[in-house]
Amino acid sequence: MSHTGRTMGSAIRITNGRVYDPANGVDGCVQDLCIQDAKVVAEVPADARKIDATGMVVMPGGVDIHCHIAGPKVNLARKLQPEDKRLDVVPSTPYTRSGSGGIIPSTFATGYRYAAMGYTTAMEAAVTPIGARHVLEELHDTPIIDKGFYVLLGNNVFLYRLLKEGRREEFREAVAWWVNATKAYTVKLVNPGSDELWKGRRNANISDLNENIDQFDLTPLDVIRAFIETVNDLGLPHPAHIHCNNLGHSGNATTTLDTMRAAEGRRVHIAHVQFHSYGGEPGKNPTSRGPEIADYINSHPNITADVGQVMFGKATAMTADAPLAHLLKGVSGNKWVNADTENESGCGIVPFTYQEKVYVHALQWAIGLELFLLSKDPWRILLSTDHPNGGSFTMYPKLIRLLMDREFRNDEIRKVNQRAIRKTILGDDLAREYTLSEIAIISRAGPARALGLKDKGHLGVGADADITIYEDDPDREKMFSTPRYVLKDGKLIIADHEFRADHEGRILHATPAYDPDIEKAIRPFFEDYYSIRFDNYAVSDRYLHNHQVIPGQIIPAVQPQ
Amino acid sequence: MKLAFHHRPEVPIEAEVITPEKLAGLSEAEVSALPLQYGNERVPLGEFFRVSGRYEGEILVEGDLSRVKMIGSGMSAGRIVVDGDAGMHLGVGMSGGEIVVKGNAGDWVAPDLSGGRITIHGNAGHLVGSAYRGSAMGIRGGEILIHGNAGNEAGNAMRRGLIAIGGDCGDFGGVNMCAGTLIVLGRLGARCGASMKRGSIVSMQPAPLLPTFGYACRYEPLYLRLYLLHLKRLGMSVGEAHIEGPYRRYSGDAIETNRGEILLLDA
């Protein structure tokens, strides 16, 4: 493990805080926390600096398992919306650099805004291999938080060829090579199979997992199975991270269930599952199948998911799912971008506004809440807005209030399209209110566990000293928007709600072992089909700066409960 | 109140503070101490302006202010008279009151205008009453009167309000227009009304039209007569023939809704 350039803090004792550390079974106990340098320790010397947290809530720093914060597509979305940045200027302070906000903040502002909300880790969820260098450069400029990214391999032409020819061993080696070559954290699949069709034929897409992907003699199901198996075999810290087929289409819950079944007990993460929980006929208005999806996830412990909650207001659809972007462009009538990424992926960006009175938008909002409220295991149904697709990450505090405050939730439910509400269970005045401990799970401990980050998401001895201290407030939105103190790697970044220091977070990545001979198979394909030479493709170590290799874990398949 | 500009800056100044709301009730010394953005520095207003009198409904700004940006920013009432040229972003975000410029104005006159009136006796630069880059909508109300010529993209994406240009207008006049009225007493440049959805573009001279504008009819629109009489009362050189018409109406832009119009005087 290389902890190069880790900033050393000093000894700190956080006294009398109410500590929520669900990974260690601590549920609101008043106790002290000791920090030495960048780690939580058992005890510190008596002269250690004290932070009085009396009456305050202490949690591990937030961990975002799925967001889009860096790289070519994010930058394109920034450039596409100058009008959004103009009204949200972020001035510099003695400790922080200037930038711009809006729905997609500049790199520096992204780091600061996560930190200002008490989040200390965030994972960029979709990076084309060829864009990895750019992503690493932007992540280097995203301060304070630790970060990593998932590399898009689910529409990769070379990997499809290996699968088509039944060369599974080489497929495995090639996947491992690609994770290493891009410095990725795990593998991401987006709408597997469809990008090749989309690029090849007018308005083509995949709507069934058993459909043939042109010219490859493969079905999306073959691709999904192969990746789930391979990523588990490689023992990456986080399993295959899947954006299922048919995102946003009515009736897509069937595809989502098929995808989850394909795991056959192996670990898999289903991204922004709200967008994949719709009933109804394709081409017609969707209905909710949220309860069915929640049930399936509840009873299959091999599956983790993040919700991808829709929040009303401005958002930006930003995805490797190019045909989806085309569909959304028709809905929004707004400016948009669609792009092709060589042999690897597609890309689409559409600025979008979710409106309370619009049936579909209200339904999406309600399905997200259904998934949260029906979840029996908060460790596996995790908080996200798929920033900026469902809304900005800065909406998390409001989302937390919706989950914790039944009265507030019912008020909000009354404001939205009632026809949509009637299609869900939200009209039943659900009694469930998330506890602080459950919030700590869905926003910190759960994502950290799903990511295989053993030093994050908890406050036990040896944990990273990424800690957030909130002033307890019955208005949970206000409470979670403005932590009183934020520590990153034991360094006091925010005190009394204001920045007191800057910090360079780490790149988190995985390095699965592979046979170097695989390069001999990949090289000729590059020389024939890529715009860039093979020798210039792999990202060199100097792009890593501050980084940490996260060790893998092999977890055997499990049976449903 | 008089603000006399006494020396020319090396780089442009941003003078958001020169607006009735910010100067009302302040003494000369207090006004002199207000901050201006000068390059990457903040300097007191007194460094560039000699202040005399208190605000009593009008701010008179004297001198060559072509390098002074954002005069009248966000004003909602009162009056500013610029005796000389004004710089970019004059009257940005203005919602009421009046600005009169006796000389020329720079680019970006009154972006985000929603009310009030701006009169420029000389020429104006590009993007008069235009939407900021990326925005779907430009000005949402108010009047901009330019006695001289205007540059390109006047009225870009305007949503409501009136822009009148006494002289000629550059290329792309009324581009992306959503609604509102752009009246040009001189000539329109190339590609006027490109991508307009609704709204009216009027000119007293023949104009090169895009092929997506189709001839509709020849008539004497009543509303235009009212608009032109209004402009005449405000001192613009509107002739009898302009008021009488008739006008040839072209509808477009056919690549959008085809519900906009370009009216050309049929002399």
Side-chain angles (χ1 to χ4, degrees), chain A residues 248-269:
Chain A
H249 290 270
S250 297
N252 63 8
T254 308
T255 326
T256 311
L257 290 167
D258 287 347
T259 306
M260 292 193 285
R261 280 186 203 111
E264 291 169 342
R266 293 185 187 87
R267 284 193 313 150
V268 67
H269 183 91

Side-chain angles (χ1 to χ4, degrees), chain A residues 80-83 86-87 335, chain B residues 92 112 132-136:
Chain A
L80 189 64
Q81 303 176 81
E83 76 282 7
R86 187 170 67 84
L87 301 171
K335 48 193 168 185
Chain B
V92 49
D112 277 349
Y132 270 119
R133 292 300 187 214
S135 306

Side-chain angles (χ1 to χ4, degrees), chain A residues 159-205:
Chain A
L159 292 173
Y160 275 16
R161 285 193 175 183
L162 293 182
L163 284 180
K164 178 186 178 182
E165 291 160 17
R167 295 154 70 186
R168 284 300 292 274
E169 278 302 306
E170 284 165 277
F171 175 81
R172 198 185 107 120
E173 300 302 320
V175 168
W177 178 83
W178 246 296
V179 171
N180 278 282
T182 55
K183 319 294 183 204
Y185 193 81
T186 194
V187 173
K188 172 81 179 292
L189 272 63
V190 169
N191 200 359
S194 68
D195 273 348
E196 271 311 301
L197 283 186
W198 169 251
K199 291 190 241 177
R201 280 194 281 125
R202 186 165 189 246
N203 289 347
N205 198 356

Side-chain angles (χ1 to χ4, degrees), chain A residues 255-295:
Chain A
T255 326
T256 311
L257 290 167
D258 287 347
T259 306
M260 292 193 285
R261 280 186 203 111
E264 291 169 342
R266 293 185 187 87
R267 284 193 313 150
V268 67
H269 183 91
I270 304 295
H272 37 71
V273 69
Q274 174 277 128
F275 286 109
H276 305 273
S277 301
Y278 307 148
E281 297 279 307
K284 297 199 176 138
N285 259 350
T287 57
S288 168
R289 283 173 70 185
E292 209 179 317
I293 296 286
D295 271 359

